[in-house]
Amino acid sequence: MENNVENKVVAQGTVEVKADKKPEAKPENNNRRFNPNNKKGGPRRNNNQRGRFNSEFEERVVDIARVTNVVKGGRRFSFSTIVVIGDKKGKVAYGHGKAKEVPDSIKKAIKDARRNLINAPIVDGTIPHVTQAKFISSNILLKPAPKGKGIIASGAVRAVVELAGYKDIVTKSLGSSSKTNSVKATLKALSQLKTAKEIAAMRDKDESHFN
């Protein structure tokens, strides 16, 4: 008789002995699903957010240049990046980053810019007075403009004044058009701005005298 039969006859017509029942093999479940009730290991991290800066500042890449360094074994290439950041509320800065890859150089430039923030005064969407600054061969002139005039600027200067939060301003480049030097000259000009309240405090006079 077959071995898998539950009741096995030992002697004909006499004694019946129950045979051991073989355990059924459990099917392998290779399709394991994520159990939300299983708290082992904690929540998963989102790798897409890795390396990003969650802040109120906006970033704008002004210039990316490939740099070649000649060494004994050959040439080494890297990327130099200039980035301008600002919150459009008066805080603005620039940063410089250098790395073998473009994304890494941008991250370094943003970190550098966050350490060099300046406060630029905004009066009715424009600057309080005329200012001019020079950096090496770049010479930038900034003038206040009436409401509705808009931003009269180009290139790197526009990036700085827009991220600073100005709505109406007239700019003029009187020297070299180098992007890096223009950014530095513009930030230098913005750092020289003073409000009527600050000038009155410096001269020990009433604020209404300067309005």
Side-chain angles (χ1 to χ4, degrees):
M1 301 178 69
E2 297 180 357
N3 293 330
N4 58 356
V5 180
E6 184 177 358
N7 296 330
K8 182 178 181 182
V9 178
V10 178
Q12 187 175 3
T14 56
V15 183
E16 292 183 357
V17 180
K18 291 184 178 181
D20 294 336
K21 191 175 181 181
K22 294 181 180 180
E24 296 180 357
K26 295 182 180 180
E28 295 182 359
N29 186 11
N30 294 326
N31 299 325
R32 295 182 180 179
R33 296 181 179 179
F34 173 72
N35 186 6
N37 296 324
N38 186 9
K39 297 182 180 180
K40 183 178 180 181
R44 294 182 178 180
R45 292 183 299 177
N46 188 0
N47 294 329
N48 294 331
Q49 300 296 331
R50 191 177 297 174
R52 295 186 180 179
F53 295 89
N54 296 323
S55 65
E56 69 277 10
F57 295 101
E58 295 185 17
E59 305 117 20
R60 190 169 301 177
V61 178
V62 175
D63 185 33
I64 298 177
R66 194 179 75 166
V67 181
T68 304
N69 186 17
V70 180
V71 295
K72 184 177 180 180
R75 296 181 180 179
R76 293 181 181 177
F77 297 98
S78 60
F79 293 92
S80 178
T81 306
I82 298 294
V83 175
V84 177
I85 67 170
D87 61 351
K88 294 187 176 182
K89 297 179 182 178
K91 290 185 178 180
V92 65
Y94 88 97
H96 174 259
K98 188 176 180 182
K100 293 182 179 180
E101 300 294 335
V102 174
D104 295 335
S105 65
I106 294 175
K107 291 177 184 178
K108 288 183 179 180
I110 295 173
K111 285 184 179 180
D112 183 47
R114 290 165 66 90
R115 293 192 292 263
N116 302 315
L117 288 169
I118 65 170
N119 292 319
I122 302 175
V123 179
D124 297 330
T126 187
I127 57 177
H129 56 83
V130 179
T131 181
Q132 185 175 355
K134 183 178 181 181
F135 186 85
I136 306 180
S137 58
S138 294
N139 194 352
I140 301 298
L141 174 65
L142 305 179
K143 292 183 179 180
K147 191 173 182 179
K149 181 73 173 180
I151 297 175
I152 309 299
S154 62
V157 180
R158 173 177 287 271
V160 176
V161 296
E162 279 186 353
L163 294 180
Y166 295 106
K167 301 293 181 62
D168 306 292
I169 189 172
V170 176
T171 67
K172 180 67 176 177
S173 178
L174 303 175
S176 172
S177 60
S178 170
K179 294 181 180 180
T180 303
N181 294 340
S182 296
V183 168
K184 294 180 180 180
T186 305
L187 288 170
K188 185 178 179 180
L190 293 178
S191 64
Q192 296 173 356
L193 293 173
K194 302 289 183 182
T195 61
K197 185 176 181 180
E198 293 174 345
I199 297 175
M202 292 171 58
R203 299 184 181 182
D204 197 16
K205 293 185 178 182
D206 189 21
E207 183 180 352
S208 60
H209 180 74
F210 300 95
N211 291 330

